[in-house]
Amino acid sequence: MKITNVVETMVWEVMESMLDQQPDMCRCDCCRADMAAYALNRLSPHYAATKKGEVLIKAGSLDRGMNVALLVALTEAMEIVKANPRHEKE
Ligand SMILES: [Zn+2]
């Protein structure tokens, strides 16, 4: 049985829609991974063992408060990655 961090799934989803509104933000894999890692380190994980559990967590405990925390973490992540993009050094 594979377990999923529902917050991780949501971070990737929300990041995609935020990137749509940030045309000057780099979208390379390196920057995306950095943004996701930064945001996930600031958020509490919510693990689900099944697809059903994942849906329940998304619909229930991850309410508006969680969404706000997610947006705040991702906004910070974008600012930091934008200021210090790591792709150029490699
Ligand atoms: Zn990049």
Side-chain angles (χ1 to χ4, degrees):
M1 178 76 77
K2 187 174 172 270
I3 61 165
T4 310
N5 178 4
V6 182
V7 176
E8 185 179 342
T9 312
M10 290 178 74
V11 159
W12 287 108
E13 285 174 6
V14 174
M15 187 167 70
E16 285 306 318
S17 60
M18 286 176 79
L19 282 172
D20 285 345
Q21 291 157 25
Q22 302 269 339
D24 54 338
M25 188 72 216
C26 178
R27 286 136 196 277
C28 77
D29 285 347
C30 180
C31 289
R32 281 173 193 248
D34 272 353
M35 283 186 272
Y38 181 90
L40 283 166
N41 281 335
R42 317 212 96 206
L43 297 162
S44 304
H46 285 252
Y47 287 100
T50 62
K51 203 74 191 165
K52 193 178 171 194
E54 192 176 332
V55 171
L56 283 175
I57 290 174
K58 274 192 189 177
S61 62
L62 298 186
D63 54 10
R64 226 163 278 157
M66 186 63 211
N67 271 320
V68 169
L70 218 132
L71 287 173
V72 169
L74 272 168
T75 302
E76 283 181 19
M78 285 188 176
E79 281 168 12
I80 285 175
V81 171
K82 203 175 186 176
N84 305 287
R86 293 203 296 161
H87 53 197
E88 285 172 340
K89 287 178 194 161
E90 298 193 26

